[in-house]
Amino acid sequence: MYLLGIDLGTSSIKVAVVEIATQKNVATAQYPEEETAIKSVQSGWAEQSPNDWWQNVQQAILKLNSTGLFDPKEIKAIGIAYQMHGLVVVDKNKEVLRDSIIWCDSRAVELGNGAFEAIGHEKSLKHLLNSPGNFTASKLAWVKVNEPEIYNRIDKIMLPGDFIAMKLTGEITTSISALSEGIFWDFQNHEISEDVMNYYGISNDLIPTVKPLFSEHGYLTADIAGSLGLATGIPVAYKAGDQPNNALSLNVLKPGEVAATAGTSGVIYGVSDELTYDKQSRVNTFAHVTYSEETKHTGVLLCINGTGSMYRWAKHNFASQATYADLNILASKAPIGSNGLRVLPFGNGAERMLNNQYTGAEFLGIDLNLHNQSDIFRAVQEGIAFSFRYGLDIMRENGMQPKVIRAGRANLFLSDLFAQTFVDVTGIPVELYENDGSVGAALGAGIGAGIFKTTEEAFSKHNIINTLTPQHSAGYEAIYQDWKAILEKQLAR
Protein backbone atom coordinates (compact mmCIF):
# COMPACT_ATOMS: atom_id res chain seq x y z
CA MET A 1 0.00 0.00 0.00
CA TYR A 2 1.14 3.51 -0.81
CA LEU A 3 0.71 7.22 -0.13
CA LEU A 4 0.76 9.98 -2.76
CA GLY A 5 2.41 13.33 -2.08
CA ILE A 6 1.91 16.41 -4.27
CA ASP A 7 4.28 19.37 -3.96
CA LEU A 8 2.90 22.44 -5.73
CA GLY A 9 6.02 24.53 -6.23
CA THR A 10 6.57 27.82 -7.99
CA SER A 11 8.79 26.23 -10.62
CA SER A 12 6.97 22.93 -11.19
CA ILE A 13 4.85 20.18 -9.66
CA LYS A 14 6.66 17.30 -8.01
CA VAL A 15 4.87 14.13 -6.94
CA ALA A 16 6.05 11.08 -5.04
CA VAL A 17 4.68 7.70 -3.99
CA VAL A 18 5.83 6.36 -0.63
CA GLU A 19 5.41 2.74 0.43
CA ILE A 20 3.62 2.64 3.78
CA ALA A 21 5.42 -0.39 5.20
CA THR A 22 8.96 0.84 4.53
CA GLN A 23 8.34 4.63 4.41
CA LYS A 24 10.51 4.63 1.29
CA ASN A 25 10.02 6.78 -1.79
CA VAL A 26 9.38 4.29 -4.59
CA ALA A 27 8.73 6.70 -7.46
CA THR A 28 8.99 10.42 -8.20
CA ALA A 29 7.96 12.58 -11.14
CA GLN A 30 8.06 16.25 -12.02
CA TYR A 31 5.97 18.25 -14.47
CA PRO A 32 6.68 20.30 -16.46
CA GLU A 33 10.36 19.63 -17.05
CA GLU A 34 11.03 23.30 -17.74
CA GLU A 35 10.47 25.79 -14.96
CA THR A 36 7.01 27.35 -14.88
CA ALA A 37 7.00 31.04 -15.73
CA ILE A 38 5.89 33.75 -13.32
CA LYS A 39 3.70 36.39 -14.96
CA SER A 40 4.93 39.88 -14.09
CA VAL A 41 3.07 42.60 -15.99
CA GLN A 42 4.46 45.27 -13.66
CA SER A 43 7.62 45.46 -11.57
CA GLY A 44 7.05 43.69 -8.27
CA TRP A 45 3.98 41.78 -9.49
CA ALA A 46 3.93 37.98 -9.66
CA GLU A 47 1.05 35.75 -10.77
CA GLN A 48 0.42 32.18 -11.93
CA SER A 49 -2.67 30.41 -13.25
CA PRO A 50 -4.34 28.00 -10.78
CA ASN A 51 -5.81 26.12 -13.75
CA ASP A 52 -2.28 25.62 -15.07
CA TRP A 53 -1.29 24.23 -11.67
CA TRP A 54 -4.15 21.76 -11.88
CA GLN A 55 -3.25 20.64 -15.39
CA ASN A 56 0.37 20.18 -14.29
CA VAL A 57 -0.66 18.20 -11.21
CA GLN A 58 -2.66 15.79 -13.37
CA GLN A 59 0.19 15.39 -15.84
CA ALA A 60 2.67 14.80 -13.02
CA ILE A 61 0.50 12.06 -11.50
CA LEU A 62 0.02 10.35 -14.89
CA LYS A 63 3.77 10.54 -15.47
CA LEU A 64 4.34 9.01 -12.03
CA ASN A 65 1.90 6.18 -12.73
CA SER A 66 3.67 5.44 -16.02
CA THR A 67 6.85 4.40 -14.17
CA GLY A 68 5.23 1.02 -13.45
CA LEU A 69 6.92 0.93 -10.04
CA PHE A 70 3.68 0.70 -8.08
CA ASP A 71 -0.02 -0.02 -8.51
CA PRO A 72 -1.87 3.34 -8.48
CA LYS A 73 -5.00 1.60 -7.19
CA GLU A 74 -3.10 0.78 -3.98
CA ILE A 75 -2.65 4.47 -3.05
CA LYS A 76 -4.57 4.96 0.21
CA ALA A 77 -4.31 8.70 0.88
CA ILE A 78 -3.11 11.95 -0.71
CA GLY A 79 -1.15 14.80 0.87
CA ILE A 80 -0.52 18.26 -0.58
CA ALA A 81 2.29 20.74 0.01
CA TYR A 82 2.10 24.10 -1.72
CA GLN A 83 3.76 27.46 -2.28
CA MET A 84 2.67 29.64 0.61
CA HIS A 85 0.72 32.93 0.75
CA GLY A 86 -0.84 32.76 -2.73
CA LEU A 87 -4.40 33.96 -3.24
CA VAL A 88 -6.89 31.88 -5.23
CA VAL A 89 -10.46 33.17 -5.67
CA VAL A 90 -13.40 31.20 -7.05
CA ASP A 91 -17.08 31.88 -7.73
CA LYS A 92 -20.10 29.82 -6.65
CA ASN A 93 -19.41 27.37 -9.47
CA LYS A 94 -15.86 26.86 -8.18
CA GLU A 95 -14.47 28.58 -11.27
CA VAL A 96 -11.28 30.60 -10.90
CA LEU A 97 -11.94 34.33 -11.23
CA ARG A 98 -8.38 35.56 -11.82
CA ASP A 99 -4.79 34.36 -11.77
CA SER A 100 -3.30 33.73 -8.36
CA ILE A 101 -1.34 36.58 -6.81
CA ILE A 102 1.55 34.48 -5.50
CA TRP A 103 3.94 34.69 -2.56
CA CYS A 104 6.62 36.96 -4.09
CA ASP A 105 4.16 39.58 -5.36
CA SER A 106 4.77 42.98 -3.72
CA ARG A 107 1.75 45.01 -4.82
CA ALA A 108 -0.08 44.80 -1.47
CA VAL A 109 2.78 46.05 0.72
CA GLU A 110 1.33 49.52 1.23
CA LEU A 111 -2.13 48.14 2.02
CA GLY A 112 -0.54 45.84 4.59
CA ASN A 113 1.43 48.72 6.08
CA GLY A 114 -1.82 50.67 6.39
CA ALA A 115 -3.44 47.78 8.26
CA PHE A 116 -0.39 47.52 10.53
CA GLU A 117 -0.74 51.19 11.48
CA ALA A 118 -4.54 51.09 11.88
CA ILE A 119 -4.65 47.91 13.97
CA GLY A 120 -1.57 49.02 15.89
CA HIS A 121 1.92 47.56 15.83
CA GLU A 122 1.76 46.03 19.30
CA LYS A 123 -1.70 44.53 18.83
CA SER A 124 -0.88 43.17 15.35
CA LEU A 125 2.29 41.50 16.56
CA LYS A 126 0.70 40.10 19.71
CA HIS A 127 -2.40 38.73 17.98
CA LEU A 128 -1.23 38.02 14.40
CA LEU A 129 2.47 37.45 15.23
CA ASN A 130 3.22 39.48 12.09
CA SER A 131 2.54 42.67 10.25
CA PRO A 132 -0.19 42.08 7.62
CA GLY A 133 2.51 42.96 5.05
CA ASN A 134 1.94 41.60 1.57
CA PHE A 135 0.43 38.33 2.78
CA THR A 136 -2.78 36.75 1.50
CA ALA A 137 -5.24 38.97 3.40
CA SER A 138 -3.57 42.08 1.97
CA LYS A 139 -3.55 40.56 -1.52
CA LEU A 140 -7.31 40.00 -1.19
CA ALA A 141 -7.71 43.61 -0.04
CA TRP A 142 -5.85 44.70 -3.18
CA VAL A 143 -8.38 42.83 -5.32
CA LYS A 144 -11.21 44.43 -3.37
CA VAL A 145 -9.83 47.93 -3.98
CA ASN A 146 -8.61 47.53 -7.55
CA GLU A 147 -10.85 44.85 -9.07
CA PRO A 148 -14.25 45.29 -7.36
CA GLU A 149 -16.11 43.54 -10.17
CA ILE A 150 -14.06 40.40 -9.51
CA TYR A 151 -14.17 40.77 -5.73
CA ASN A 152 -17.97 40.96 -5.74
CA ARG A 153 -18.15 37.57 -7.50
CA ILE A 154 -15.93 35.76 -5.00
CA ASP A 155 -17.59 32.88 -3.16
CA LYS A 156 -14.48 31.46 -1.46
CA ILE A 157 -10.81 32.35 -1.13
CA MET A 158 -8.13 29.69 -0.90
CA LEU A 159 -4.45 29.05 -0.54
CA PRO A 160 -2.91 27.16 -3.50
CA GLY A 161 -3.07 23.76 -1.78
CA ASP A 162 -6.72 24.28 -0.88
CA PHE A 163 -7.41 24.81 -4.58
CA ILE A 164 -5.73 21.56 -5.66
CA ALA A 165 -7.64 19.67 -2.95
CA MET A 166 -10.86 21.23 -4.25
CA LYS A 167 -10.11 20.00 -7.78
CA LEU A 168 -9.45 16.49 -6.46
CA THR A 169 -12.44 16.24 -4.13
CA GLY A 170 -14.94 18.98 -4.94
CA GLU A 171 -14.69 20.16 -1.31
CA ILE A 172 -13.26 23.51 -0.14
CA THR A 173 -11.54 23.44 3.25
CA THR A 174 -8.67 25.18 4.96
CA SER A 175 -6.74 24.93 8.25
CA ILE A 176 -5.47 27.15 11.05
CA SER A 177 -1.95 26.82 9.64
CA ALA A 178 -3.15 28.08 6.24
CA LEU A 179 -5.13 30.94 7.78
CA SER A 180 -2.11 31.96 9.86
CA GLU A 181 0.14 32.17 6.79
CA GLY A 182 -2.48 34.40 5.15
CA ILE A 183 -2.57 36.61 8.31
CA PHE A 184 -6.22 35.81 8.92
CA TRP A 185 -5.65 34.11 12.31
CA ASP A 186 -5.77 35.66 15.79
CA PHE A 187 -3.46 33.55 17.97
CA GLN A 188 -4.56 35.14 21.24
CA ASN A 189 -8.29 34.64 20.68
CA HIS A 190 -7.88 31.42 18.66
CA GLU A 191 -10.20 32.57 15.91
CA ILE A 192 -10.30 34.37 12.57
CA SER A 193 -9.01 37.87 13.19
CA GLU A 194 -11.80 40.41 13.62
CA ASP A 195 -9.22 43.20 13.35
CA VAL A 196 -8.01 42.13 9.91
CA MET A 197 -11.44 41.28 8.53
CA ASN A 198 -13.03 44.49 9.83
CA TYR A 199 -10.20 46.76 8.69
CA TYR A 200 -10.22 45.36 5.15
CA GLY A 201 -14.02 44.97 5.07
CA ILE A 202 -13.80 41.26 4.28
CA SER A 203 -16.66 38.91 5.17
CA ASN A 204 -15.96 35.71 7.09
CA ASP A 205 -18.24 34.01 4.55
CA LEU A 206 -15.32 34.02 2.10
CA ILE A 207 -13.30 31.74 4.39
CA PRO A 208 -13.69 27.98 3.71
CA THR A 209 -14.56 25.42 6.36
CA VAL A 210 -11.67 25.17 8.84
CA LYS A 211 -10.50 21.61 9.52
CA PRO A 212 -7.51 20.12 11.36
CA LEU A 213 -4.44 20.05 9.14
CA PHE A 214 -4.06 16.28 9.65
CA SER A 215 -7.59 15.20 8.75
CA GLU A 216 -9.75 14.22 5.80
CA HIS A 217 -10.31 17.29 3.61
CA GLY A 218 -12.51 15.47 1.11
CA TYR A 219 -12.48 12.29 -0.97
CA LEU A 220 -11.30 11.72 -4.51
CA THR A 221 -14.26 12.01 -6.88
CA ALA A 222 -15.07 9.21 -9.29
CA ASP A 223 -14.38 11.23 -12.44
CA ILE A 224 -11.00 12.48 -11.25
CA ALA A 225 -10.06 9.05 -9.94
CA GLY A 226 -10.92 7.55 -13.32
CA SER A 227 -8.87 10.07 -15.27
CA LEU A 228 -5.84 9.63 -12.98
CA GLY A 229 -6.02 5.85 -12.59
CA LEU A 230 -6.56 6.07 -8.81
CA ALA A 231 -9.18 4.53 -6.54
CA THR A 232 -12.38 6.49 -5.99
CA GLY A 233 -12.94 7.81 -2.48
CA ILE A 234 -9.40 7.93 -1.13
CA PRO A 235 -8.95 10.92 1.20
CA VAL A 236 -6.93 14.07 0.82
CA ALA A 237 -5.70 13.80 4.41
CA TYR A 238 -3.10 16.54 4.72
CA LYS A 239 -2.46 20.04 3.37
CA ALA A 240 0.37 22.33 4.45
CA GLY A 241 2.43 25.21 3.12
CA ASP A 242 5.73 24.18 1.61
CA GLN A 243 7.89 25.38 4.50
CA PRO A 244 5.96 23.79 7.39
CA ASN A 245 5.77 20.70 5.17
CA ASN A 246 9.52 20.81 4.48
CA ALA A 247 10.05 20.87 8.24
CA LEU A 248 7.70 17.89 8.58
CA SER A 249 9.58 16.01 5.86
CA LEU A 250 12.79 16.49 7.89
CA ASN A 251 11.10 15.46 11.15
CA VAL A 252 11.46 19.01 12.49
CA LEU A 253 8.50 18.91 14.84
CA LYS A 254 9.78 19.81 18.31
CA PRO A 255 10.68 23.22 19.76
CA GLY A 256 14.28 24.12 18.99
CA GLU A 257 14.52 22.00 15.83
CA VAL A 258 15.40 23.86 12.62
CA ALA A 259 15.05 23.10 8.88
CA ALA A 260 16.37 24.83 5.77
CA THR A 261 15.50 24.71 2.10
CA ALA A 262 16.89 26.49 -0.94
CA GLY A 263 14.45 26.15 -3.82
CA THR A 264 13.01 29.09 -5.76
CA SER A 265 13.11 30.89 -2.42
CA GLY A 266 15.35 30.13 0.53
CA VAL A 267 14.01 29.43 3.99
CA ILE A 268 15.22 28.74 7.49
CA TYR A 269 12.35 27.45 9.62
CA GLY A 270 12.56 26.87 13.36
CA VAL A 271 9.92 25.39 15.67
CA SER A 272 9.00 27.24 18.86
CA ASP A 273 6.57 26.58 21.69
CA GLU A 274 6.01 30.30 22.23
CA LEU A 275 3.88 32.88 20.40
CA THR A 276 7.01 34.76 19.39
CA TYR A 277 7.42 37.54 16.84
CA ASP A 278 9.99 39.92 15.40
CA LYS A 279 9.10 43.53 16.18
CA GLN A 280 10.05 44.53 12.63
CA SER A 281 8.36 41.49 11.00
CA ARG A 282 11.61 40.67 9.19
CA VAL A 283 11.03 37.03 10.05
CA ASN A 284 7.52 35.67 10.39
CA THR A 285 5.72 33.29 12.70
CA PHE A 286 2.93 30.96 11.59
CA ALA A 287 1.11 27.96 13.05
CA HIS A 288 3.25 24.85 12.57
CA VAL A 289 1.74 21.57 11.37
CA THR A 290 1.57 20.40 15.00
CA TYR A 291 -0.15 23.59 16.24
CA SER A 292 -3.31 23.25 18.29
CA GLU A 293 -5.06 25.29 20.97
CA GLU A 294 -3.41 23.02 23.55
CA THR A 295 0.02 22.69 21.88
CA LYS A 296 0.91 26.07 20.44
CA HIS A 297 3.81 25.01 18.24
CA THR A 298 4.72 27.79 15.85
CA GLY A 299 7.14 27.98 12.95
CA VAL A 300 9.52 30.96 12.86
CA LEU A 301 10.20 31.49 9.19
CA LEU A 302 12.97 33.41 7.48
CA CYS A 303 12.21 33.72 3.76
CA ILE A 304 14.62 34.98 1.10
CA ASN A 305 12.87 35.42 -2.25
CA GLY A 306 15.97 35.43 -4.42
CA THR A 307 17.80 32.12 -3.95
CA GLY A 308 17.08 29.43 -6.54
CA SER A 309 15.43 32.15 -8.63
CA MET A 310 18.75 34.03 -8.63
CA TYR A 311 20.71 30.92 -9.63
CA ARG A 312 18.20 30.15 -12.39
CA TRP A 313 18.51 33.71 -13.72
CA ALA A 314 22.31 33.46 -13.76
CA LYS A 315 22.14 30.11 -15.57
CA HIS A 316 19.76 31.38 -18.25
CA ASN A 317 21.78 34.51 -18.89
CA PHE A 318 25.39 33.34 -18.50
CA ALA A 319 25.35 29.61 -19.37
CA SER A 320 21.95 28.66 -20.73
CA GLN A 321 23.11 25.39 -22.26
CA ALA A 322 24.84 24.12 -19.14
CA THR A 323 23.22 21.87 -16.54
CA TYR A 324 23.10 22.89 -12.90
CA ALA A 325 25.67 20.14 -12.21
CA ASP A 326 27.94 21.81 -14.79
CA LEU A 327 27.54 25.16 -13.06
CA ASN A 328 28.46 23.67 -9.69
CA ILE A 329 31.67 22.27 -11.18
CA LEU A 330 32.41 25.67 -12.72
CA ALA A 331 31.79 27.46 -9.44
CA SER A 332 34.10 25.12 -7.53
CA LYS A 333 37.03 26.27 -9.70
CA ALA A 334 36.88 29.81 -8.29
CA PRO A 335 38.50 30.60 -4.91
CA ILE A 336 36.65 31.45 -1.71
CA GLY A 337 35.40 35.00 -2.13
CA SER A 338 35.12 34.71 -5.94
CA ASN A 339 38.11 37.01 -6.52
CA GLY A 340 36.25 39.93 -4.95
CA LEU A 341 33.02 39.60 -6.99
CA ARG A 342 29.95 40.16 -4.81
CA VAL A 343 26.30 39.37 -5.54
CA LEU A 344 23.17 40.70 -3.83
CA PRO A 345 20.48 38.14 -4.82
CA PHE A 346 17.42 40.28 -4.01
CA GLY A 347 15.66 40.62 -7.35
CA ASN A 348 12.48 38.61 -6.80
CA GLY A 349 10.13 41.03 -5.08
CA ALA A 350 10.24 42.89 -1.78
CA GLU A 351 12.25 41.04 0.84
CA ARG A 352 10.62 40.78 4.25
CA MET A 353 13.92 40.42 6.06
CA LEU A 354 14.94 43.75 4.48
CA ASN A 355 11.83 45.44 5.93
CA ASN A 356 9.90 44.82 2.72
CA GLN A 357 12.37 46.80 0.63
CA TYR A 358 12.95 45.90 -3.00
CA THR A 359 16.59 46.51 -3.85
CA GLY A 360 16.91 44.44 -7.02
CA ALA A 361 19.73 41.97 -7.59
CA GLU A 362 23.22 43.33 -8.15
CA PHE A 363 26.69 42.21 -9.19
CA LEU A 364 29.38 44.41 -7.65
CA GLY A 365 33.11 44.69 -8.21
CA ILE A 366 33.22 43.16 -11.68
CA ASP A 367 36.78 43.19 -13.06
CA LEU A 368 36.59 42.74 -16.83
CA ASN A 369 40.19 41.47 -16.93
CA LEU A 370 39.82 39.00 -14.07
CA HIS A 371 36.36 37.58 -13.60
CA ASN A 372 34.95 34.67 -15.59
CA GLN A 373 32.07 32.20 -15.43
CA SER A 374 33.57 30.37 -12.45
CA ASP A 375 33.69 33.58 -10.42
CA ILE A 376 30.14 34.50 -11.46
CA PHE A 377 28.56 31.23 -10.38
CA ARG A 378 30.56 30.98 -7.16
CA ALA A 379 29.69 34.59 -6.31
CA VAL A 380 26.00 33.82 -6.87
CA GLN A 381 26.17 30.81 -4.54
CA GLU A 382 28.11 32.82 -1.98
CA GLY A 383 25.68 35.74 -2.20
CA ILE A 384 22.79 33.36 -1.51
CA ALA A 385 24.65 31.82 1.45
CA PHE A 386 25.43 35.32 2.79
CA SER A 387 21.73 36.22 2.60
CA PHE A 388 20.95 33.13 4.69
CA ARG A 389 23.52 34.25 7.27
CA TYR A 390 22.04 37.77 7.35
CA GLY A 391 18.58 36.37 8.03
CA LEU A 392 19.84 33.79 10.51
CA ASP A 393 21.37 36.59 12.57
CA ILE A 394 17.89 38.19 12.73
CA MET A 395 16.48 34.87 13.97
CA ARG A 396 19.22 34.77 16.61
CA GLU A 397 18.15 38.23 17.75
CA ASN A 398 14.70 36.73 18.31
CA GLY A 399 15.90 33.86 20.47
CA MET A 400 16.36 31.12 17.86
CA GLN A 401 19.78 29.54 18.51
CA PRO A 402 20.10 26.46 16.29
CA LYS A 403 22.87 24.00 17.06
CA VAL A 404 22.21 22.02 13.86
CA ILE A 405 20.10 22.58 10.76
CA ARG A 406 18.37 19.79 8.79
CA ALA A 407 18.00 20.03 5.03
CA GLY A 408 16.84 17.80 2.22
CA ARG A 409 19.42 16.99 -0.43
CA ALA A 410 17.51 18.88 -3.12
CA ASN A 411 17.65 22.12 -5.13
CA LEU A 412 20.72 24.19 -4.17
CA PHE A 413 21.66 21.65 -1.48
CA LEU A 414 22.44 19.28 -4.36
CA SER A 415 25.54 21.44 -4.85
CA ASP A 416 28.32 20.23 -2.56
CA LEU A 417 29.89 23.67 -2.89
CA PHE A 418 26.74 25.52 -1.86
CA ALA A 419 26.01 23.15 1.04
CA GLN A 420 29.53 23.55 2.43
CA THR A 421 29.48 27.31 1.86
CA PHE A 422 26.16 27.55 3.73
CA VAL A 423 27.73 25.67 6.67
CA ASP A 424 30.91 27.74 6.62
CA VAL A 425 29.13 31.09 6.40
CA THR A 426 26.50 30.32 9.08
CA GLY A 427 28.87 28.35 11.29
CA ILE A 428 26.19 25.71 11.92
CA PRO A 429 26.44 22.01 10.97
CA VAL A 430 23.89 20.71 8.48
CA GLU A 431 22.35 17.23 8.49
CA LEU A 432 21.27 16.16 5.00
CA TYR A 433 18.32 13.84 4.36
CA GLU A 434 16.89 12.30 1.19
CA ASN A 435 13.34 13.48 1.85
CA ASP A 436 11.82 16.32 -0.11
CA GLY A 437 8.50 18.17 -0.06
CA SER A 438 6.54 15.60 -2.03
CA VAL A 439 7.72 12.77 0.24
CA GLY A 440 6.83 14.87 3.27
CA ALA A 441 3.34 15.46 1.85
CA ALA A 442 2.88 11.72 1.34
CA LEU A 443 3.95 10.96 4.91
CA GLY A 444 1.67 13.74 6.14
CA ALA A 445 -1.22 12.02 4.36
CA GLY A 446 -0.40 8.84 6.24
CA ILE A 447 -0.61 10.73 9.52
CA GLY A 448 -3.85 12.49 8.57
CA ALA A 449 -5.50 9.26 7.43
CA GLY A 450 -4.56 7.49 10.67
CA ILE A 451 -2.28 5.03 8.89
CA PHE A 452 0.57 6.24 11.10
CA LYS A 453 -0.61 6.63 14.68
CA THR A 454 1.89 9.38 15.52
CA THR A 455 4.19 11.76 13.67
CA GLU A 456 7.13 9.91 15.22
CA GLU A 457 5.95 6.64 13.67
CA ALA A 458 5.85 8.26 10.21
CA PHE A 459 9.59 9.01 10.42
CA SER A 460 10.79 5.95 12.30
CA LYS A 461 12.75 4.65 9.29
CA HIS A 462 14.45 7.84 8.07
CA ASN A 463 18.17 8.41 8.56
CA ILE A 464 20.75 11.15 7.99
CA ILE A 465 22.74 10.61 4.78
CA ASN A 466 25.50 13.12 5.57
CA THR A 467 26.51 15.69 8.16
CA LEU A 468 28.51 18.76 7.10
CA THR A 469 30.55 20.70 9.64
CA PRO A 470 32.22 24.12 9.27
CA GLN A 471 35.58 23.97 7.49
CA HIS A 472 36.33 27.55 6.39
CA SER A 473 34.29 29.77 8.71
CA ALA A 474 37.23 31.98 9.67
CA GLY A 475 38.10 32.60 6.02
CA TYR A 476 34.53 33.54 5.18
CA GLU A 477 33.84 35.91 8.08
CA ALA A 478 35.68 38.94 6.62
CA ILE A 479 34.16 38.27 3.18
CA TYR A 480 30.68 38.11 4.71
CA GLN A 481 31.22 41.36 6.61
CA ASP A 482 32.31 43.02 3.35
CA TRP A 483 29.12 41.73 1.65
CA LYS A 484 26.98 42.89 4.58
CA ALA A 485 28.49 46.39 4.42
CA ILE A 486 27.62 46.56 0.70
CA LEU A 487 24.04 45.45 1.41
CA GLU A 488 23.54 47.95 4.22
CA LYS A 489 24.88 50.73 2.02
CA GLN A 490 22.31 49.79 -0.62
CA LEU A 491 19.51 49.72 1.97
CA ALA A 492 20.48 53.19 3.21
CA ARG A 493 20.03 54.78 -0.22
Side-chain angles (χ1 to χ4, degrees):
M1 297 188 293
Y2 305 97
L3 302 165
L4 172 63
I6 300 168
D7 186 3
L8 166 55
T10 310
S11 300
S12 66
I13 308 298
K14 190 172 183 182
V15 291
V17 163
V18 171
E19 187 176 41
I20 293 170
T22 63
Q23 301 174 6
K24 297 297 184 184
N25 179 10
V26 298
T28 299
Q30 179 176 312
Y31 192 90
E33 295 297 331
E34 294 298 318
E35 295 174 5
T36 304
I38 294 175
K39 302 174 186 178
S40 184
V41 298
Q42 293 189 37
S43 178
W45 288 26
E47 298 184 0
Q48 289 182 328
S49 164
N51 289 323
D52 286 350
W53 295 337
W54 172 234
Q55 292 303 317
N56 291 343
V57 165
Q58 293 177 88
Q59 291 302 315
I61 292 171
L62 292 172
K63 182 178 177 182
L64 185 71
N65 293 350
S66 72
T67 63
L69 297 174
F70 63 96
D71 180 357
K73 297 290 188 182
E74 291 299 318
I75 290 172
K76 300 303 179 184
I78 300 171
I80 301 170
Y82 58 88
Q83 49 171 292
M84 297 172 70
H85 315 304
L87 172 68
V88 181
V89 294
V90 298
D91 64 17
K92 291 183 178 180
N93 297 316
K94 299 176 182 172
E95 296 294 331
V96 174
L97 292 170
R98 70 174 324 281
D99 282 347
S100 173
I101 304 175
I102 66 171
W103 58 277
C104 55
D105 187 288
S106 306
R107 77 186 73 180
V109 167
E110 291 307 313
L111 283 169
N113 289 343
F116 197 33
E117 295 297 326
I119 295 169
H121 290 205
E122 184 176 352
K123 188 175 186 182
S124 285
L125 294 173
K126 184 177 180 181
H127 286 259
L128 307 173
L129 307 185
N130 303 280
S131 160
N134 62 328
F135 294 109
T136 316
S138 300
K139 290 173 167 63
L140 179 60
W142 185 93
V143 175
K144 184 173 186 283
V145 170
N146 293 278
E147 299 173 346
E149 71 288 353
I150 290 176
Y151 182 85
N152 290 332
R153 294 167 57 200
I154 297 173
D155 181 59
K156 288 291 181 285
I157 64 169
M158 287 176 273
L159 279 293
D162 299 330
F163 171 75
I164 296 303
M166 180 198 80
K167 298 299 288 186
L168 290 166
T169 69
E171 300 295 324
I172 304 179
T173 70
T174 193
S175 67
I176 290 173
S177 182
L179 292 173
S180 77
E181 72 173 80
I183 316 300
F184 292 105
W185 190 251
D186 184 325
F187 283 86
Q188 296 295 332
N189 296 326
H190 200 70
E191 64 183 14
I192 294 168
S193 170
E194 289 186 8
D195 290 318
V196 169
M197 303 302 271
N198 289 342
Y199 175 77
Y200 283 141
I202 298 169
S203 170
N204 282 21
D205 292 341
L206 300 186
I207 304 294
T209 301
V210 181
K211 299 197 69 175
L213 185 146
F214 294 108
S215 68
E216 294 175 348
H217 292 267
Y219 301 89
L220 196 63
T221 62
D223 59 333
I224 298 300
S227 65
L228 296 178
L230 306 177
T232 301
I234 61 174
V236 172
Y238 167 84
K239 294 184 296 182
D242 51 8
Q243 300 313 323
N245 176 74
N246 182 63
L248 173 81
S249 73
L250 297 168
N251 199 19
V252 171
L253 299 168
K254 299 175 182 177
E257 296 179 334
V258 178
T261 184
T264 302
S265 64
V267 167
I268 298 178
Y269 185 99
V271 180
S272 174
D273 56 2
E274 299 179 1
L275 298 182
T276 184
Y277 53 83
D278 176 52
K279 290 183 178 180
Q280 299 180 53
S281 277
R282 297 166 297 174
V283 296
N284 303 108
T285 304
F286 307 114
H288 191 34
V289 295
T290 51
Y291 177 91
S292 68
E293 191 169 7
E294 298 75 30
T295 307
K296 291 184 169 62
H297 285 178
T298 58
V300 181
L301 188 153
L302 160 76
C303 181
I304 307 157
N305 295 353
T307 53
S309 56
M310 180 72 208
Y311 206 44
R312 173 189 55 78
W313 182 90
K315 175 185 183 299
H316 286 182
N317 286 280
F318 295 117
S320 61
Q321 301 305 310
T323 66
Y324 284 111
D326 294 334
L327 302 189
N328 297 334
I329 292 170
L330 263 177
S332 67
K333 294 179 180 179
I336 286 176
S338 306
N339 285 312
L341 184 60
R342 303 285 180 260
V343 171
L344 300 180
F346 305 119
N348 190 27
E351 295 282 356
R352 291 184 202 117
M353 77 169 183
L354 304 181
N355 298 108
N356 274 324
Q357 290 192 55
Y358 179 67
T359 64
E362 296 190 43
F363 285 76
L364 300 106
I366 296 174
D367 185 326
L368 301 179
N369 298 311
L370 173 64
H371 293 130
N372 55 34
Q373 282 184 318
S374 294
D375 298 306
I376 288 170
F377 288 107
R378 180 158 195 147
V380 170
Q381 291 199 20
E382 289 179 339
I384 293 166
F386 293 150
S387 66
F388 271 106
R389 162 69 185 277
Y390 189 86
L392 183 60
D393 286 347
I394 295 171
M395 297 183 79
R396 286 167 169 148
E397 288 176 27
N398 285 275
M400 190 68 64
Q401 302 292 337
K403 300 295 188 291
V404 66
I405 294 174
R406 297 176 186 167
R409 188 161 173 77
N411 301 313
L412 276 168
F413 280 104
L414 287 169
S415 165
D416 293 337
L417 175 65
F418 174 78
Q420 187 62 53
T421 302
F422 177 96
V423 171
D424 290 337
V425 170
T426 62
I428 300 174
V430 166
E431 296 174 349
L432 290 173
Y433 292 77
E434 286 292 356
N435 285 5
D436 63 12
S438 56
V439 172
L443 293 168
I447 299 167
I451 294 167
F452 301 122
K453 300 307 179 187
T454 64
T455 52
E456 289 78 12
E457 182 184 344
F459 295 93
S460 60
K461 299 176 182 177
H462 294 263
N463 299 309
I464 301 167
I465 59 171
N466 194 16
T467 299
L468 302 175
T469 57
Q471 304 293 324
H472 309 290
S473 290
Y476 262 119
E477 186 60 26
I479 299 169
Y480 168 71
Q481 293 299 335
D482 177 59
W483 179 92
K484 180 181 176 182
I486 292 169
L487 172 62
E488 292 181 341
K489 184 177 180 181
Q490 303 301 88
L491 294 173
R493 283 178 176 176

